[in-house]
Amino acid sequence: MQLDDIDRVGVVGAGTMGNGIAQVAAASGYDVVMRDVEQQFVSAGFDDIDESLGRLVARDELTRSEADRARDRIEGTTDLADLSDCDLVVEAVTEDMDVKQSVFEDLADTCRTETVLATNTSTLSITTIASVVDRAERVLGLHFMNPVPVMKGVEVVVGEKTGADTLTLGHAFAKDLGKETWEADDKPGFVVNRVLMPWINEGIRAYDEGVAGMADIDRGLTLGTNVPMGPLELADHIGLDVVLDASETLHEELGDRYKPAYLLKRKVAAGDLGKKTGAGFYEYD
Ligand code: CAA
């Protein structure tokens, strides 16, 4: 399968990552089917898309009619069977191996054998996810960054059995969505989270151990190294539960240097997950 053969794109999961991927695919001209398990999640996904498209129109990146056309190209569903005629599917469900494998089993039953199946996993093994399907050569990682409509990069991850054609197509598809790519082998955390998670955890530990206040740690890193957000602010942006999950996978696979910060676990236990719950390290309106 080549880029020209892809007309219809499926996205499994209408959460932050899924709805962002659906939006950028639709804005690039693909017909998109966005599926989640309940209608309320699909509707919430469309709300995010409407808000994001509105922001892109406000800063002249899209015209109102381009935004409307993109919106019209996205069909929402709770029925996985509606993805049966998709040429490429991106899975963006929760970071849980059992859940992802079950989605892949269902996709293998539902989709044509030539359909490319991508996972947006941020730390889990592509090879293990692909092991439950009869077409592992068509499975790869397409790891988008949050917020998907704004972030320019997509990490293309190569599983043990990912075929060369699938890989070429993965890069071409991401580029067609206006993204730039890099390639990573199927090792825990790939490139981005292997390096980012210890950076965030070290920021949290520095705060917990009294090196500086939260805002000074974030200012130190933004002003000192030209990143847009410091580690605590970025953790809140990503979601502390997501950071903890990724850190725990890395810790399990790579040992003690990836141990999650104690304060991160405590915040997640308290339900303070960052921007999405109104409080994390900082408070949000
Ligand atoms: N859709 C459309 N536009 C959006 C948007 C969205 N979802 N989110 C932000 N924007 C736009 C805003 O409208 C704004 O446009 P203007 O400048 O024209 O007003 C612009 O982006 C900047 O937004 P804000 O003013 O709200 O705030 P900001 O300047 O802090 O930018 C940010 C927000 C783009 C998120 C920026 O802070 C940033 O780049 N932060 C770092 C994000 C990052 O590192 N993401 C990767 C996380 S790691 C990951 O995702 C991988 C993983 O597996 C965990």
Side-chain angles (χ1 to χ4, degrees):
M1 176 151 341
Q2 303 201 329
L3 189 62
D4 285 352
D5 303 317
I6 297 182
D7 296 318
R8 202 166 160 83
V9 171
V11 179
V12 187
T16 307
M17 299 307 289
N19 71 56
I21 296 165
Q23 177 187 323
V24 294
S28 304
Y30 293 95
D31 290 326
V32 177
V33 188
M34 178 175 77
R35 184 261 185 180
D36 211 314
V37 284
E38 284 180 33
Q39 187 51 43
Q40 56 167 327
F41 301 136
V42 176
S43 302
F46 276 117
D47 290 345
D48 284 354
I49 290 171
D50 288 339
E51 194 196 328
S52 175
L53 287 172
R55 290 167 88 164
L56 295 172
V57 170
R59 60 175 206 269
D60 290 332
E61 286 199 23
L62 286 180
T63 64
R64 187 68 258 172
S65 65
E66 283 169 339
D68 291 343
R69 277 203 299 278
R71 177 65 161 80
D72 289 345
R73 278 189 209 108
I74 308 172
E75 178 190 325
T77 185
T78 54
D79 187 356
L80 202 77
D82 289 338
L83 275 68
S84 61
D85 54 354
C86 287
D87 308 301
L88 183 148
V89 177
V90 185
E91 165 276 310
V93 303
T94 183
E95 283 289 287
D96 177 306
M97 182 56 79
D98 292 341
V99 177
K100 286 195 188 283
Q101 285 188 327
S102 148
V103 168
F104 270 71
E105 276 169 350
D106 291 345
L107 287 172
D109 287 342
T110 304
C111 299
R112 299 189 304 271
T113 33
E114 59 272 27
T115 300
V116 170
L117 303 178
T119 169
N120 181 57
T121 183
S122 54
T123 39
L124 298 175
S125 162
I126 310 300
T127 307
T128 310
I129 294 171
S131 68
V132 298
V133 303
D134 54 359
R135 60 196 76 165
E137 72 284 0
R138 301 222 189 283
V139 177
L140 82 166
L142 284 181
H143 180 207
F144 290 78
M145 306 292 137
N146 173 18
V148 180
V150 175
M151 301 298 289
K152 289 283 168 234
V154 174
E155 188 163 50
V156 177
V157 190
V158 194
E160 178 72 19
K161 299 211 167 157
T162 305
D165 291 355
T166 304
L167 215 48
T168 305
L169 184 64
H171 284 283
F173 175 68
K175 285 178 185 157
D176 203 41
L177 304 189
K179 307 298 184 192
E180 292 182 40
T181 58
W182 60 94
E183 205 166 291
D185 194 18
D186 184 19
K187 299 208 168 67
F190 320 127
V191 172
V192 169
N193 282 330
R194 187 178 178 117
V195 176
L196 182 62
M197 291 303 150
W199 183 77
I200 289 176
N201 276 288
E202 206 45 49
I204 299 170
R205 273 191 282 267
Y207 166 59
D208 205 18
E209 290 169 19
V211 175
M214 278 189 289
D216 278 336
I217 288 171
D218 284 337
R219 277 169 64 76
L221 271 302
T222 50
L223 296 173
T225 69
N226 250 3
V227 290
M229 284 179 170
L232 301 165
E233 198 186 357
L234 184 58
D236 277 357
H237 167 81
I238 294 171
L240 302 193
D241 51 339
V242 176
V243 173
L244 179 57
D245 228 43
S247 304
E248 280 174 341
T249 303
L250 289 163
H251 183 211
E252 227 168 80
E253 299 287 345
L254 299 172
D256 268 358
R257 70 196 158 118
Y258 284 92
K259 197 170 172 185
Y262 172 73
L263 184 58
L264 174 65
K265 293 203 240 174
R266 203 172 76 180
K267 290 269 184 201
V268 172
D272 287 345
L273 306 183
K275 260 187 180 167
K276 63 185 169 189
T277 59
F281 289 103
Y282 298 93
E283 309 242 312
Y284 302 88
D285 297 333

